[in-house]
Every structure is written in structure tokens, then in C-alpha cells.
Amino acid sequence: GQQLNQSPQSMFIQEGEDVSMNCTSSSIFNTWLWYKQDPGEGPVLLIALYKAGELTSNGRLTAQFGITRKDSFLNISASIPSDVGIYFCAGQRSDSWGKLQFGAGTQVVVTP
Amino acid sequence: GAVVSQHPSRVICKSGTSVKIECRSLDFQATTMFWYRQFPKQSLMLMATSNEGSKATYEQGVEKDKFLINHASLTLSTLTVTSAHPEDSSFYICSASYQFEKLFFGSGTQLSVL
């Protein structure tokens, strides 16, 4: 399947800084999901977005579902060392429930 | 919360052998399970959709005779990699659907074919 365009590919930040990443697609999705994956583990859901324009927070994480339904961003505020990992966006179409298309991932490295 | 268990977590096998990976939903009935493959430093790619009591549907480019999927019960789906070769070495991950509202991922299986 075609991947979503996720950027940046990697980020090296200092503890306390904010992190922002985004995903764009040529296709419309009815659901955007953001996951974090640690090495050797399956992805863990961070935030799910179901409506265009929706802005949702989960602790220090904030994500938005773009108005055009073709993009989404994830912000992490005041990063801490345990934020290290790979973050993936995933989109789901209305006619393909459960079938997720994943972005290429953003590797986040947090230095003390 | 719902838990999806995947077993084994790691497997090393010789080229030409077959490997079976199990995906179990521990506290819910999953009518649909999905199998993904992830190569090193790459994203997850959907391989197939597994429906309980019916044949799996495969994504374009995935060989159904090589990747056999069985979903015999509402809590178990298995993926068998037949006649495995080194290029099949990958991280295989399942997800399970709960009432068409939520998806839960397993912890993955790292397959290494020598």
C-alpha cells in the first residue's frame, strides 16, 4: 500500500523542547491515528482523530485532524527522555475499516 | 484495556522451513485481525485481513500461498510463513478489531531466516 508522507524523518532535540511532526496524503482519510513504537515492540496508540478540524490532547501530546482530511500533525510539548522512539501517523479510509496506511515514521531523540 | 498477545516474540529458522505466528485477543472477541510486516527502519505495511470463519484477503503483492492465514476462532489468528527464505526476515505484527471501534496491536514477532 502507498505510504503517507511523514516528516521530518528524524529529530534530535534537547529535553524540554517541543516537537512537531506532520503527515500528508493525496487521499482523504476519515480517521487519523498517531502511534509510538519502541524497538522490538508493536505500535502503541497515542491519539485518535475522527473529525476534520478536530484538535485532541493526551497529556503533553496534541494532534489535529486537518480540515482537508488529507493531513494531520502531532505536537509533543516539553519533551522528556522517555519520549524517545519512533512516531507513526496512520490513516484509515471510511471504506476500509481497520486497514491502516502508515507514514514512514519520525525518529525522535531527546538529549538531556 | 484489551490485550492482543502475539507468540513467539522472536524466532530463528533455517531457510526452507515453515514458521507459525499466533495472534490472540485475550479479553475480547476479534472478528477481524490484520497482519502487518515491518522491515528494519521502515514503516508497517498491511499484508492481509483475517476474518473469522472465512478466507483471508491479501493486499496486492502479498503471496497468499506463502503467507497462510487461518482465523479459526474469534480469539485466534495464525500466520504461517511457508518455505521461509532470508528475504522473509522481518518484524510481523498483528492487530485485532474490537466491535469495529477500536484496534489493538500485538507486540510483534521478529523472524530471522538463516
Side-chain angles (χ1 to χ4, degrees):
Chain A
Q2 188 175 1
Q3 286 186 352
L4 304 177
N5 297 314
Q6 184 172 348
S7 64
Q9 186 176 11
S10 60
M11 299 189 72
F12 294 82
I13 58 172
Q14 283 196 319
E15 185 175 358
E17 289 184 338
D18 296 346
V19 176
S20 184
M21 61 195 79
N22 68 82
C23 277
T24 60
S25 170
S26 57
S27 305
I28 289 175
F29 290 109
N30 74 316
T31 303
W32 280 96
L33 305 160
W34 285 93
Y35 290 88
K36 183 186 178 195
Q37 186 180 29
D38 292 325
E41 297 288 334
V44 174
L45 181 65
L46 300 174
I47 292 181
L49 302 160
Y50 301 104
K51 287 168 52 177
E54 179 181 356
L55 183 70
T56 298
S57 293
N58 178 9
R60 294 178 296 104
L61 307 177
T62 301
Q64 184 159 31
F65 192 143
I67 294 287
T68 64
R69 296 169 63 192
K70 295 182 178 181
D71 63 299
S72 177
F73 72 75
L74 174 72
N75 286 341
I76 307 172
S77 62
S79 58
I80 59 178
S82 62
D83 290 334
V84 165
I86 302 178
Y87 293 78
F88 290 98
C89 64
Q92 176 178 266
R93 294 196 174 85
S94 59
D95 60 348
S96 303
W97 198 95
K99 296 184 178 183
L100 303 184
Q101 289 188 14
F102 281 84
T106 295
Q107 168 98 54
V108 173
V109 177
V110 181
T111 56
Chain B
V3 177
V4 174
S5 173
Q6 203 170 327
H7 179 80
S9 57
R10 282 186 176 276
V11 58
I12 301 173
C13 69
K14 290 183 179 180
S15 185
T17 61
S18 294
V19 175
K20 181 184 284 189
I21 302 170
E22 293 185 347
C23 181
R24 292 182 185 272
S25 55
L26 297 186
D27 56 359
F28 67 98
Q29 292 184 330
T31 53
T32 307
M33 291 185 176
F34 304 88
W35 288 95
Y36 291 81
R37 179 168 52 184
Q38 184 178 30
F39 292 108
K41 299 188 184 301
Q42 294 189 25
S43 188
L44 288 79
M45 300 296 286
L46 180 66
M47 298 175 65
T49 302
S50 169
N51 297 297
E52 186 267 337
S54 63
K55 289 184 178 180
T57 55
Y58 292 80
E59 296 300 303
Q60 191 172 9
V62 178
E63 301 174 58
K64 63 180 181 181
D65 294 330
K66 180 161 188 66
F67 299 100
L68 301 180
I69 292 173
N70 184 279
H71 195 156
S73 76
L74 286 171
T75 59
L76 174 64
S77 175
T78 60
L79 169 68
T80 301
V81 183
T82 62
S83 186
H85 290 284
E87 59 266 29
D88 298 324
S89 298
S90 184
F91 194 55
Y92 293 86
I93 308 171
C94 70
S95 67
S97 161
Y98 176 63
Q99 295 184 341
F100 294 99
E101 291 182 353
K102 293 184 185 292
L103 278 176
F104 299 94
F105 279 87
S107 55
T109 297
Q110 181 65 53
L111 170 63
S112 299
V113 185
L114 304 178

